Amino acid sequence: MRKLGMIGGMSWISTETYYRRINERVRREIEPMASAPLLIESLDYRQLWGLLDEGDWSRAGDILEESAKRLADAGAQGLILCANSMHRLYDRLTDAVSIPVLHIADAVGAKMKADGATKNAALIGTRNVMTESFYRQRLVAQGIDLLPPDMSFAEQSDRIIYEQLMQGRAPRDAERYYRTVITQLEQAGAKAIVLACTELAIVVDVDANVLPIYDSARIHCNAAVDWMMDG
């Protein structure tokens, strides 16, 4: 298998999910005693959240760029960034290293296209992922038709993600909230839901909804394992 570098810590909850899912898939595909060859750098998220302007994002890009270089220098043959929102800085990573960086939205779009789930998809995640072009354009490029972002729940969703899920808390009211959101999106015409936040599967049952739910973290992990085993 190829050796994969993981830029994590955004949050550590998400990074733990990536580590577990990648290794569970490797074990299923190869043998029970197999484990994935990984290099993990878990960053201090205090330096990477609450980014308000381009200056903040530029400083975050410096941090991620240096992390990517360290992992490549340590022997990683490819990289993944274990967070949706930080893919706003994807081009900084690809410019910094000569090894491939697997984009999370590309993986999600490819999976949806393969399933034929290309019409009226809705994104759920942090505000910047739902509204900015860096993520949406990647899905559209794969032929995914996206509904306009519903800003009526953006503030509450941000609060739950940053104040609860990223801190390892999964209260029942968060589960009820996202169940309501998904119902409202379905009523608005959504035919598929993208969980464009790597922690959302903590409170959204991906396999127990009427609409198809595309968990970006799960799909990204599977794409990473496919790449590792293709070496």
Side-chain angles (χ1 to χ4, degrees), residues 1-5 37 39 71-72 75-79 98-101 227:
M1 287 182 286
R2 292 166 167 160
K3 182 175 291 186
L4 179 70
L39 293 173
L71 288 167
Q77 297 168 274
L79 295 176
S98 59
I99 59 177
V101 185
W227 174 85

Side-chain angles (χ1 to χ4, degrees), residues 5-148:
M6 295 169 49
I7 303 177
M10 304 165 288
S11 63
W12 68 265
I13 300 293
S14 169
T15 311
E16 178 188 46
T17 298
Y18 269 78
Y19 183 76
R20 175 174 49 80
R21 286 199 176 277
I22 288 172
N23 276 289
E24 287 175 345
R25 169 86 188 283
V26 165
R27 185 186 63 189
R28 290 195 304 270
E29 294 287 340
I30 301 177
E31 61 173 272
M33 295 302 290
S35 55
L38 300 170
L39 293 173
I40 305 172
E41 178 153 294
S42 185
L43 300 174
D44 183 352
Y45 195 44
R46 290 179 299 176
Q47 303 173 28
L48 292 165
W49 82 287
L51 308 177
L52 300 176
D53 56 35
E54 290 304 315
D56 289 340
W57 280 103
S58 179
R59 287 189 293 274
D62 293 341
I63 293 170
L64 294 183
E65 184 177 314
E66 291 305 312
S67 178
K69 289 177 180 177
R70 285 192 293 270
L71 288 167
D73 289 345
Q77 297 168 274
L79 295 176
I80 56 171
L81 181 57
C82 305
N84 281 275
S85 62
M86 288 298 164
H87 278 75
R88 191 179 195 266
L89 300 166
Y90 175 81
D91 290 343
R92 289 283 302 268
L93 300 187
T94 58
D95 289 343
V97 296
S98 59
I99 59 177
V101 185
L102 309 182
H103 198 293
I104 192 168
D106 289 350
V108 171
K111 172 62 174 170
M112 296 177 74
K113 185 176 181 180
D115 290 351
T118 59
K119 301 298 183 184
N120 292 356
L123 295 181
I124 300 177
T126 56
R127 181 187 297 268
N128 76 316
V129 171
M130 289 194 296
T131 62
E132 295 183 32
S133 62
F134 72 93
Y135 199 97
R136 300 178 68 87
Q137 285 180 350
R138 290 273 179 167
L139 294 178
V140 171
Q142 302 244 22
I144 309 303
D145 176 34
L146 293 173
L147 293 175

Side-chain angles (χ1 to χ4, degrees), residues 164-184:
Q164 297 178 353
L165 305 186
M166 286 187 173
Q167 298 179 30
R169 299 165 52 209
R172 295 297 292 274
D173 61 344
E175 295 180 21
R176 289 191 292 269
Y177 175 75
Y178 284 109
R179 192 179 303 120
T180 299
V181 166
I182 290 171
T183 298
Q184 292 174 346

